Amino acid sequence: GLSYEHVRPVPYIPSELSPILSSDTVAYSIIPNIHRQLFTLNRYNIPEPDLVKEFEVSNNQKVYKIKLKKASFHSGKTLTSEDVVYTIQSALLNKVNNYESLLFIEGASAYVEGRADDISGLKVSSSDVFQIVLTESYPDLIYKLTNFRLSILNKSIKNDGLGSYKVSFKNENEIILKNKNTKLMRGPHKIKLIMSSKRNAVKKFKEGTYHDLMFYNLNQNEITGLGLITLNEYHFPRTY
């Protein structure tokens, strides 16, 4: 694919990039690049497998048997069923947004309340096969598993993702994401996020140094001042 770098100014650099612990819009824009979920939404907003190779649902719709695809974290560690269990446990303990939907899993409430050391409804059959057992039928389960806050975490290494990009550099002023798959590249080979004031961001956008103004509110005069700049899906000012 075409190799290019996308430079995005941001008003601040997020201190946390965990899908479970993050709580700001800049982090939310980065997380989908570095993490993946069991299921994802297609362009028609319909859930489809992402990290899941195949799955089947029991007749009573209370047991989901899931087989994982072969996938590796940025560290090189192979994705396992234990990572999925750890992710769901972490989401429940941290009470992530919409965590209540996970309480349909057998034993989840007891785990959250500290009455159990594990979740009885998460049953690991092998390194790549597990079951989710529900207390009652919950047709929205797969849709809920597309939530980026349920991106699968490495049980052993913090902030280790499965997404197309990995964090290659991070300090208080800049984050650099690099595409880990150079052979099947989609999107830029590198995404650079640089902390910038709005004034500086607009100036450098007009000069062509920065490639979008996604995180800045622009008034009509500022929009007019951009002139006849050619904008595409990656190079656009965001207005509200």
Side-chain angles (χ1 to χ4, degrees):
L2 180 64
S3 177
Y4 66 100
E5 177 179 294
H6 186 76
V7 183
R8 169 171 291 167
V10 291
Y12 58 87
I13 297 296
S15 58
E16 181 62 67
L17 292 177
S18 164
I20 286 178
L21 301 177
S22 297
S23 59
D24 64 85
T25 54
V26 175
Y28 293 165
S29 75
I30 297 172
I31 288 169
N33 290 306
I34 59 180
H35 291 283
R36 292 169 67 186
Q37 299 87 257
L38 292 174
F39 295 88
T40 189
L41 294 176
N42 64 22
R43 62 178 180 168
Y44 302 108
N45 214 36
I46 297 173
E48 58 184 28
D50 186 1
L51 292 171
V52 171
K53 182 177 182 180
E54 57 191 36
F55 71 100
E56 58 185 57
V57 184
S58 63
N59 290 334
N60 64 7
Q61 296 189 323
K62 291 169 62 177
V63 181
Y64 291 69
K65 183 178 180 180
I66 296 174
K67 182 177 178 63
L68 296 170
K69 291 178 181 176
K70 290 184 178 179
S72 297
F73 288 93
H74 299 155
S75 64
K77 177 189 175 296
T78 300
L79 168 67
T80 70
S81 301
E82 293 290 350
D83 295 313
V84 177
V85 171
Y86 171 73
T87 298
I88 295 176
Q89 289 176 334
S90 299
L92 283 165
L93 288 179
N94 287 280
K95 297 186 177 179
V96 300
N97 186 38
N98 242 343
Y99 84 97
E100 294 88 354
S101 61
L102 299 175
L103 296 177
F104 284 93
I105 300 174
E106 184 181 274
S109 293
Y111 181 75
V112 171
E113 294 165 6
R115 294 184 286 111
D117 294 330
D118 52 28
I119 302 171
S120 59
L122 295 178
K123 302 181 185 296
V124 173
S125 305
S126 67
S127 62
D128 62 350
V129 177
F130 64 96
Q131 292 184 352
I132 299 176
V133 181
L134 306 180
T135 55
E136 60 184 88
S137 172
Y138 183 54
D140 284 344
L141 178 65
I142 290 177
Y143 182 83
K144 295 298 184 181
L145 292 176
T146 66
N147 184 352
F148 79 90
R149 289 195 174 278
L150 295 178
S151 299
I152 304 304
L153 307 174
N154 183 335
K155 182 179 180 180
S156 308
I157 303 175
K158 184 181 178 182
N159 293 331
D160 193 15
L162 289 152
S164 299
Y165 290 85
K166 60 182 178 181
V167 178
S168 64
F169 178 81
K170 183 179 186 293
N171 66 15
E172 60 185 15
N173 297 307
E174 186 176 318
I175 295 177
I176 297 176
L177 309 178
K178 285 189 177 179
N179 196 315
K180 69 174 187 176
N181 192 343
T182 55
K183 293 181 180 178
L184 298 173
M185 188 178 297
R186 295 178 181 177
H189 75 281
K190 184 190 292 184
I191 301 173
K192 186 181 291 186
L193 297 99
I194 301 175
M195 188 168 70
S196 177
S197 66
K198 182 170 78 168
R199 180 177 180 179
N200 186 56
V202 170
K203 177 177 179 291
K204 292 198 172 184
F205 178 75
K206 290 175 70 173
E207 294 171 353
T209 306
Y210 290 166
H211 299 145
D212 70 48
L213 295 170
M214 179 175 175
F215 288 101
Y216 299 88
N217 296 324
L218 303 180
N219 60 40
Q220 191 58 51
N221 287 336
E222 289 167 331
I223 295 173
T224 303
L226 293 176
L228 299 176
I229 298 173
T230 301
L231 306 177
N232 61 27
E233 63 178 315
Y234 288 108
H235 303 64
F236 62 94
R238 182 174 178 180
T239 58
Y240 299 88

Coordinates of all heavy atoms in Angstrom, one line a residue, residues 86-164:
Y86 N -9.5 -12.5 31.4 CA -8.9 -11.4 32.1 C -9.5 -10.1 31.8 O -9.7 -9.2 32.6 CB -7.4 -11.4 31.9 CG -6.6 -10.2 32.4 CD1 -6.4 -10.0 33.8 CD2 -6.2 -9.2 31.5 CE1 -5.8 -8.9 34.2 CE2 -5.6 -8.0 32.0 CZ -5.4 -7.9 33.4 OH -4.7 -6.8 33.8
T87 N -9.8 -9.9 30.5 CA -10.4 -8.7 30.0 C -11.7 -8.5 30.6 O -12.1 -7.4 31.1 CB -10.5 -8.7 28.5 OG1 -9.2 -8.8 27.9 CG2 -11.2 -7.4 27.9
I88 N -12.6 -9.5 30.6 CA -13.9 -9.4 31.1 C -13.9 -9.2 32.6 O -14.6 -8.3 33.2 CB -14.8 -10.6 30.7 CG1 -15.0 -10.6 29.2 CG2 -16.1 -10.6 31.4 CD1 -15.7 -11.9 28.7
Q89 N -13.0 -9.9 33.3 CA -12.8 -9.6 34.7 C -12.4 -8.2 35.0 O -13.0 -7.5 35.9 CB -11.7 -10.6 35.3 CG -12.1 -12.0 35.4 CD -11.0 -12.9 35.8 OE1 -9.8 -12.6 35.6 NE2 -11.3 -14.1 36.4
S90 N -11.5 -7.7 34.3 CA -11.0 -6.3 34.5 C -12.1 -5.3 34.2 O -12.2 -4.3 34.9 CB -9.8 -6.0 33.6 OG -8.7 -6.9 33.9
A91 N -12.9 -5.5 33.2 CA -14.0 -4.6 32.8 C -15.0 -4.6 33.9 O -15.5 -3.5 34.3 CB -14.6 -5.0 31.5
L92 N -15.3 -5.7 34.5 CA -16.3 -5.8 35.6 C -15.7 -5.1 36.9 O -16.4 -4.3 37.5 CB -16.6 -7.2 35.9 CG -17.6 -7.9 34.9 CD1 -17.6 -9.4 35.1 CD2 -19.0 -7.3 35.1
L93 N -14.5 -5.4 37.2 CA -13.9 -4.8 38.5 C -13.8 -3.3 38.4 O -13.9 -2.6 39.4 CB -12.5 -5.5 38.7 CG -12.5 -6.9 39.2 CD1 -11.1 -7.4 39.4 CD2 -13.3 -7.1 40.5
N94 N -13.5 -2.8 37.2 CA -13.4 -1.4 37.0 C -14.7 -0.7 36.6 O -14.7 0.5 36.4 CB -12.3 -1.1 35.9 CG -10.9 -1.3 36.4 OD1 -10.3 -0.5 37.1 ND2 -10.3 -2.5 36.0
K95 N -15.7 -1.5 36.5 CA -17.1 -1.0 36.2 C -17.0 0.0 35.0 O -17.5 1.1 35.1 CB -17.7 -0.4 37.4 CG -17.9 -1.3 38.5 CD -18.7 -0.7 39.7 CE -18.9 -1.8 40.8 NZ -19.6 -1.3 42.0
V96 N -16.5 -0.5 33.9 CA -16.5 0.3 32.7 C -17.9 0.7 32.2 O -18.8 0.0 32.6 CB -15.7 -0.4 31.5 CG1 -14.3 -0.8 31.9 CG2 -16.5 -1.7 31.1
N97 N -17.9 1.7 31.4 CA -19.2 2.1 30.9 C -20.0 0.9 30.3 O -19.5 0.2 29.5 CB -19.0 3.2 29.8 CG -20.3 3.8 29.3 OD1 -21.2 4.0 30.1 ND2 -20.4 4.1 28.0
N98 N -21.2 0.8 30.7 CA -22.1 -0.3 30.2 C -21.7 -1.7 30.7 O -22.1 -2.7 30.2 CB -22.1 -0.4 28.7 CG -23.5 -0.1 28.1 OD1 -24.5 -0.2 28.8 ND2 -23.5 0.2 26.8
Y99 N -20.9 -1.7 31.8 CA -20.5 -3.0 32.4 C -21.7 -3.9 32.8 O -21.6 -5.1 32.9 CB -19.6 -2.8 33.6 CG -20.3 -2.5 34.9 CD1 -20.5 -3.6 35.8 CD2 -20.7 -1.3 35.2 CE1 -21.1 -3.3 37.0 CE2 -21.3 -1.0 36.4 CZ -21.6 -2.1 37.3 OH -22.2 -1.8 38.5
E100 N -22.9 -3.2 33.1 CA -24.0 -3.9 33.5 C -24.5 -5.0 32.5 O -25.0 -6.0 32.9 CB -25.2 -3.0 33.7 CG -25.0 -2.0 34.9 CD -24.3 -0.7 34.4 OE1 -23.9 -0.6 33.3 OE2 -24.2 0.2 35.3
S101 N -24.1 -4.8 31.2 CA -24.5 -5.8 30.3 C -23.7 -7.1 30.5 O -24.2 -8.2 30.1 CB -24.2 -5.3 28.8 OG -22.8 -5.0 28.7
L102 N -22.6 -7.1 31.2 CA -21.8 -8.3 31.5 C -22.3 -9.0 32.7 O -21.9 -10.2 32.9 CB -20.3 -7.9 31.7 CG -19.6 -7.2 30.5 CD1 -18.2 -6.8 31.0 CD2 -19.5 -8.2 29.3
L103 N -23.2 -8.4 33.4 CA -23.8 -9.1 34.6 C -24.7 -10.2 34.2 O -25.2 -11.0 35.1 CB -24.5 -8.1 35.5 CG -23.6 -7.0 36.1 CD1 -24.4 -6.0 36.9 CD2 -22.5 -7.6 36.9
F104 N -25.1 -10.3 32.9 CA -25.9 -11.5 32.5 C -25.0 -12.8 32.5 O -25.6 -13.9 32.4 CB -26.4 -11.2 31.1 CG -27.6 -10.3 31.1 CD1 -27.4 -9.0 30.8 CD2 -28.9 -10.8 31.3 CE1 -28.5 -8.1 30.8 CE2 -30.0 -9.9 31.2 CZ -29.8 -8.6 31.0
I105 N -23.7 -12.6 32.6 CA -22.8 -13.8 32.6 C -23.0 -14.5 34.0 O -22.9 -13.8 35.0 CB -21.4 -13.4 32.4 CG1 -21.2 -12.8 31.0 CG2 -20.4 -14.6 32.4 CD1 -19.8 -12.2 30.7
E106 N -23.1 -15.8 34.0 CA -23.3 -16.5 35.2 C -22.1 -16.3 36.2 O -20.9 -16.4 35.8 CB -23.4 -18.0 34.9 CG -23.6 -18.9 36.0 CD -23.6 -20.4 35.6 OE1 -24.7 -20.8 35.2 OE2 -22.6 -21.0 35.6
G107 N -22.4 -15.9 37.4 CA -21.3 -15.6 38.4 C -20.7 -14.3 38.3 O -19.8 -14.0 39.2
A108 N -21.1 -13.4 37.4 CA -20.5 -12.1 37.3 C -20.8 -11.2 38.5 O -19.9 -10.5 39.0 CB -20.9 -11.4 36.0
S109 N -22.0 -11.2 38.9 CA -22.4 -10.4 40.0 C -21.7 -10.8 41.3 O -21.2 -9.9 42.1 CB -23.9 -10.5 40.3 OG -24.6 -9.9 39.2
A110 N -21.5 -12.1 41.5 CA -20.8 -12.6 42.7 C -19.3 -12.2 42.6 O -18.7 -11.8 43.7 CB -20.9 -14.1 42.8
Y111 N -18.8 -12.2 41.4 CA -17.4 -11.8 41.2 C -17.2 -10.3 41.6 O -16.3 -9.9 42.3 CB -16.9 -12.1 39.8 CG -15.5 -11.7 39.5 CD1 -14.4 -12.5 40.0 CD2 -15.2 -10.6 38.8 CE1 -13.1 -12.1 39.8 CE2 -13.9 -10.2 38.5 CZ -12.8 -11.0 39.0 OH -11.5 -10.6 38.7
V112 N -18.1 -9.4 41.0 CA -18.0 -8.0 41.3 C -18.2 -7.7 42.7 O -17.5 -6.8 43.3 CB -19.1 -7.3 40.4 CG1 -19.2 -5.8 40.8 CG2 -18.8 -7.4 38.9
E113 N -19.0 -8.4 43.4 CA -19.3 -8.1 44.8 C -18.3 -8.8 45.7 O -18.4 -8.6 47.0 CB -20.7 -8.6 45.2 CG -21.8 -7.9 44.4 CD -23.2 -8.6 44.5 OE1 -23.2 -9.6 45.2 OE2 -24.1 -8.1 43.8
G114 N -17.3 -9.5 45.2 CA -16.2 -10.1 46.0 C -16.6 -11.4 46.6 O -15.9 -11.9 47.5
R115 N -17.7 -12.0 46.2 CA -18.2 -13.3 46.8 C -17.6 -14.5 46.0 O -17.9 -15.6 46.5 CB -19.7 -13.3 46.8 CG -20.4 -12.3 47.7 CD -21.9 -12.4 47.7 NE -22.5 -12.0 46.5 CZ -23.1 -12.7 45.6 NH1 -23.1 -14.1 45.8 NH2 -23.7 -12.2 44.6
A116 N -16.9 -14.2 45.0 CA -16.3 -15.3 44.2 C -14.9 -14.9 43.6 O -14.8 -13.7 43.4 CB -17.2 -15.7 43.1
D117 N -14.0 -15.8 43.5 CA -12.7 -15.4 43.0 C -12.6 -15.5 41.5 O -11.6 -15.0 40.9 CB -11.6 -16.4 43.6 CG -11.5 -16.3 45.1 OD1 -11.7 -15.2 45.6 OD2 -11.2 -17.3 45.7
D118 N -13.6 -16.1 40.9 CA -13.6 -16.1 39.4 C -15.0 -16.0 38.9 O -16.0 -16.0 39.7 CB -12.9 -17.3 38.8 CG -13.4 -18.6 39.4 OD1 -14.6 -18.6 39.8 OD2 -12.6 -19.6 39.5
I119 N -15.2 -16.0 37.6 CA -16.6 -15.9 37.0 C -17.0 -17.3 36.5 O -16.4 -17.8 35.5 CB -16.6 -14.8 35.9 CG1 -16.2 -13.5 36.4 CG2 -18.0 -14.8 35.3 CD1 -16.0 -12.4 35.3
S120 N -17.9 -17.9 37.2 CA -18.2 -19.3 36.8 C -18.7 -19.5 35.4 O -18.6 -20.5 34.8 CB -19.3 -19.8 37.8 OG -20.5 -19.0 37.8
G121 N -19.3 -18.4 34.8 CA -19.9 -18.5 33.5 C -18.8 -18.3 32.4 O -19.2 -18.3 31.2
L122 N -17.6 -18.1 32.7 CA -16.5 -18.0 31.7 C -15.7 -19.3 31.9 O -14.9 -19.5 32.8 CB -15.6 -16.8 32.0 CG -16.2 -15.4 31.8 CD1 -15.2 -14.4 32.1 CD2 -16.8 -15.3 30.4
K123 N -15.9 -20.2 30.9 CA -15.3 -21.6 31.0 C -14.3 -21.8 29.9 O -14.6 -21.8 28.7 CB -16.4 -22.6 30.9 CG -17.5 -22.5 32.0 CD -18.5 -23.5 31.9 CE -19.7 -23.3 32.9 NZ -19.2 -23.5 34.3
V124 N -13.0 -21.9 30.3 CA -11.9 -22.1 29.3 C -11.8 -23.6 28.9 O -11.6 -24.4 29.8 CB -10.6 -21.6 29.8 CG1 -9.4 -21.9 28.9 CG2 -10.7 -20.0 30.0
S125 N -12.0 -23.9 27.7 CA -11.9 -25.3 27.2 C -10.4 -25.6 26.7 O -9.9 -26.7 26.9 CB -12.9 -25.6 26.1 OG -14.2 -25.2 26.4
S126 N -9.8 -24.6 26.1 CA -8.4 -24.8 25.6 C -7.9 -23.4 25.4 O -8.5 -22.4 25.7 CB -8.4 -25.5 24.3 OG -9.0 -24.8 23.2
S127 N -6.6 -23.3 24.9 CA -6.0 -22.0 24.7 C -6.7 -21.1 23.7 O -6.6 -19.9 23.8 CB -4.5 -22.2 24.2 OG -4.5 -22.9 23.0
D128 N -7.5 -21.7 22.8 CA -8.3 -20.9 21.9 C -9.8 -21.1 21.8 O -10.5 -20.6 20.9 CB -7.7 -21.0 20.5 CG -7.8 -22.5 20.0 OD1 -8.2 -23.4 20.7 OD2 -7.5 -22.7 18.8
V129 N -10.3 -21.8 22.8 CA -11.7 -22.1 22.9 C -12.2 -21.8 24.3 O -11.6 -22.2 25.3 CB -12.1 -23.5 22.5 CG1 -13.6 -23.8 22.6 CG2 -11.6 -23.8 21.0
F130 N -13.3 -21.1 24.4 CA -14.0 -20.8 25.7 C -15.5 -20.7 25.5 O -16.0 -20.6 24.4 CB -13.4 -19.6 26.3 CG -13.7 -18.3 25.6 CD1 -14.8 -17.5 25.9 CD2 -12.9 -17.9 24.5 CE1 -15.1 -16.3 25.2 CE2 -13.2 -16.8 23.8 CZ -14.2 -16.0 24.1
Q131 N -16.2 -20.7 26.6 CA -17.6 -20.6 26.6 C -18.0 -19.4 27.5 O -17.4 -19.2 28.6 CB -18.3 -21.9 27.1 CG -18.2 -23.0 26.2 CD -19.0 -24.2 26.7 OE1 -19.5 -24.2 27.8 NE2 -19.1 -25.3 25.9
I132 N -19.1 -18.7 27.1 CA -19.7 -17.7 28.0 C -21.1 -18.3 28.3 O -21.9 -18.5 27.4 CB -19.8 -16.4 27.2 CG1 -18.4 -15.8 26.9 CG2 -20.6 -15.4 28.1 CD1 -18.5 -14.5 26.1
V133 N -21.4 -18.5 29.6 CA -22.7 -19.0 30.0 C -23.4 -17.9 30.7 O -22.9 -17.3 31.6 CB -22.5 -20.2 31.0 CG1 -23.8 -20.8 31.4 CG2 -21.6 -21.3 30.3
L134 N -24.7 -17.7 30.2 CA -25.5 -16.6 30.7 C -26.6 -17.2 31.7 O -26.9 -18.3 31.6 CB -26.2 -15.9 29.6 CG -25.3 -15.3 28.4 CD1 -26.2 -14.7 27.4 CD2 -24.3 -14.4 29.0
T135 N -27.0 -16.3 32.5 CA -28.1 -16.7 33.5 C -29.4 -16.7 32.8 O -30.4 -17.4 33.2 CB -28.2 -15.7 34.7 OG1 -28.4 -14.4 34.1 CG2 -26.9 -15.7 35.5
E136 N -29.6 -15.9 31.7 CA -30.8 -15.9 30.9 C -30.4 -15.5 29.5 O -29.3 -15.0 29.2 CB -31.8 -15.0 31.5 CG -31.4 -13.5 31.6 CD -32.4 -12.7 32.3 OE1 -32.3 -12.6 33.5 OE2 -33.2 -12.1 31.6
S137 N -31.3 -15.7 28.5 CA -31.0 -15.3 27.2 C -30.8 -13.8 27.1 O -31.6 -13.0 27.7 CB -32.2 -15.7 26.3 OG -32.1 -15.2 25.0
Y138 N -29.8 -13.4 26.4 CA -29.4 -11.9 26.2 C -29.0 -11.7 24.8 O -27.8 -11.8 24.4 CB -28.4 -11.5 27.2 CG -28.0 -10.1 27.2 CD1 -29.0 -9.1 27.3 CD2 -26.7 -9.7 27.0 CE1 -28.7 -7.8 27.3 CE2 -26.3 -8.3 27.0 CZ -27.3 -7.4 27.1 OH -27.0 -6.0 27.1
P139 N -29.9 -11.5 23.8 CA -29.6 -11.4 22.4 C -28.6 -10.3 22.1 O -28.0 -10.3 21.0 CB -31.0 -11.0 21.8 CG -32.0 -11.6 22.8 CD -31.4 -11.4 24.1
D140 N -28.4 -9.3 22.9 CA -27.5 -8.2 22.6 C -26.1 -8.4 23.0 O -25.2 -7.6 22.8 CB -28.0 -6.9 23.3 CG -29.2 -6.2 22.7 OD1 -29.5 -6.6 21.5 OD2 -29.8 -5.4 23.3
L141 N -25.8 -9.6 23.5 CA -24.4 -9.9 24.0 C -23.4 -9.6 22.9 O -22.4 -8.9 23.2 CB -24.3 -11.4 24.5 CG -22.9 -11.7 25.0 CD1 -22.5 -10.9 26.2 CD2 -22.8 -13.2 25.2
I142 N -23.5 -10.2 21.7 CA -22.5 -10.0 20.7 C -22.3 -8.5 20.4 O -21.2 -8.0 20.2 CB -22.8 -10.8 19.5 CG1 -22.6 -12.3 19.8 CG2 -21.9 -10.5 18.3 CD1 -22.9 -13.3 18.7
Y143 N -23.4 -7.8 20.3 CA -23.3 -6.4 20.0 C -22.6 -5.7 21.1 O -21.7 -4.8 20.9 CB -24.7 -5.8 19.9 CG -24.7 -4.3 19.6 CD1 -24.6 -3.8 18.3 CD2 -24.9 -3.3 20.6 CE1 -24.6 -2.5 18.0 CE2 -24.9 -2.0 20.3 CZ -24.7 -1.6 19.0 OH -24.7 -0.2 18.7
K144 N -22.8 -6.0 22.4 CA -22.1 -5.4 23.5 C -20.6 -5.7 23.5 O -19.8 -4.9 23.9 CB -22.7 -5.9 24.8 CG -24.2 -5.5 25.1 CD -24.3 -4.0 25.1 CE -25.8 -3.6 25.4 NZ -25.9 -2.1 25.5
L145 N -20.2 -6.9 22.9 CA -18.8 -7.2 22.9 C -18.0 -6.5 21.8 O -16.8 -6.6 21.7 CB -18.7 -8.8 22.6 CG -19.2 -9.6 23.8 CD1 -19.1 -11.1 23.4 CD2 -18.3 -9.4 25.1
T146 N -18.7 -5.6 21.0 CA -18.0 -4.8 20.1 C -17.5 -3.5 20.7 O -16.8 -2.8 20.1 CB -19.0 -4.4 18.9 OG1 -20.0 -3.6 19.3 CG2 -19.6 -5.6 18.2
N147 N -17.9 -3.2 21.9 CA -17.5 -2.0 22.7 C -16.0 -2.0 22.8 O -15.4 -2.9 23.2 CB -18.2 -2.1 24.1 CG -17.9 -0.8 24.9 OD1 -17.1 0.0 24.5 ND2 -18.5 -0.7 26.0
F148 N -15.4 -0.8 22.4 CA -14.0 -0.7 22.4 C -13.4 -0.9 23.8 O -12.2 -1.2 24.0 CB -13.5 0.6 21.7 CG -13.6 1.8 22.6 CD1 -12.5 2.2 23.4 CD2 -14.7 2.6 22.6 CE1 -12.6 3.3 24.2 CE2 -14.8 3.7 23.3 CZ -13.8 4.1 24.2
R149 N -14.2 -0.6 24.8 CA -13.8 -0.7 26.2 C -13.6 -2.2 26.5 O -13.0 -2.5 27.6 CB -14.8 -0.1 27.2 CG -14.8 1.4 27.1 CD -15.5 2.0 28.3 NE -15.5 3.4 28.4 CZ -14.4 4.1 28.9 NH1 -13.4 3.4 29.3 NH2 -14.4 5.4 28.9
L150 N -14.1 -3.1 25.7 CA -13.9 -4.5 25.9 C -12.8 -5.1 24.9 O -12.8 -6.3 24.6 CB -15.2 -5.3 25.8 CG -16.3 -5.0 26.8 CD1 -17.5 -5.8 26.5 CD2 -15.7 -5.3 28.2
S151 N -11.9 -4.2 24.5 CA -10.8 -4.6 23.7 C -10.0 -5.6 24.5 O -9.8 -5.4 25.7 CB -9.9 -3.4 23.3 OG -10.6 -2.5 22.5
I152 N -9.5 -6.7 23.8 CA -8.9 -7.7 24.5 C -7.5 -7.3 25.0 O -6.6 -6.9 24.2 CB -8.8 -9.0 23.7 CG1 -10.2 -9.4 23.2 CG2 -8.1 -10.2 24.4 CD1 -11.2 -9.6 24.3
L153 N -7.2 -7.5 26.3 CA -6.0 -7.1 26.9 C -5.1 -8.3 27.1 O -5.5 -9.5 27.2 CB -6.3 -6.6 28.3 CG -7.3 -5.4 28.4 CD1 -7.5 -5.1 29.9 CD2 -6.8 -4.2 27.6
N154 N -3.8 -8.1 27.1 CA -2.8 -9.1 27.4 C -2.8 -9.3 28.9 O -2.5 -8.3 29.7 CB -1.4 -8.6 26.9 CG -0.3 -9.7 27.1 OD1 -0.4 -10.5 28.0 ND2 0.7 -9.6 26.3
K155 N -3.0 -10.5 29.4 CA -3.1 -10.8 30.8 C -1.8 -10.5 31.5 O -1.7 -10.2 32.7 CB -3.5 -12.3 31.0 CG -3.6 -12.7 32.5 CD -4.0 -14.1 32.6 CE -4.2 -14.5 34.0 NZ -4.6 -16.0 34.2
S156 N -0.7 -10.6 30.7 CA 0.7 -10.6 31.3 C 1.4 -9.2 31.2 O 2.2 -8.8 32.0 CB 1.6 -11.6 30.7 OG 1.0 -12.9 30.8
I157 N 1.0 -8.4 30.1 CA 1.8 -7.2 29.8 C 0.8 -6.1 29.7 O -0.2 -6.1 28.9 CB 2.6 -7.3 28.6 CG1 3.6 -8.5 28.7 CG2 3.4 -6.0 28.3 CD1 4.4 -8.8 27.4
K158 N 1.0 -5.0 30.4 CA 0.1 -3.8 30.4 C 0.2 -3.1 29.1 O 1.3 -3.0 28.5 CB 0.4 -2.9 31.6 CG -0.5 -1.7 31.7 CD -0.1 -0.8 32.8 CE -1.0 0.4 32.9 NZ -0.6 1.4 34.0
N159 N -0.9 -2.5 28.6 CA -0.9 -1.7 27.3 C -0.3 -2.4 26.1 O 0.3 -1.8 25.2 CB -0.1 -0.4 27.6 CG -0.8 0.5 28.6 OD1 -2.1 0.5 28.7 ND2 -0.1 1.3 29.3
D160 N -0.5 -3.7 26.0 CA -0.1 -4.5 24.9 C -1.3 -4.8 24.0 O -2.2 -5.5 24.4 CB 0.6 -5.8 25.4 CG 1.3 -6.5 24.3 OD1 1.6 -5.9 23.2 OD2 1.7 -7.7 24.4
G161 N -1.3 -4.3 22.8 CA -2.5 -4.4 21.9 C -2.4 -5.4 20.8 O -1.4 -6.0 20.6
L162 N -3.5 -5.6 20.2 CA -3.6 -6.5 19.0 C -4.0 -5.8 17.7 O -4.1 -6.4 16.7 CB -4.8 -7.5 19.3 CG -4.5 -8.6 20.4 CD1 -5.8 -9.1 21.0 CD2 -3.7 -9.8 19.8
G163 N -4.1 -4.5 17.8 CA -4.5 -3.7 16.7 C -3.4 -3.5 15.6 O -2.3 -3.9 15.7
S164 N -3.8 -2.8 14.5 CA -3.0 -2.5 13.4 C -1.8 -1.7 13.7 O -0.7 -1.8 13.1 CB -3.7 -1.9 12.2 OG -4.8 -2.7 11.8

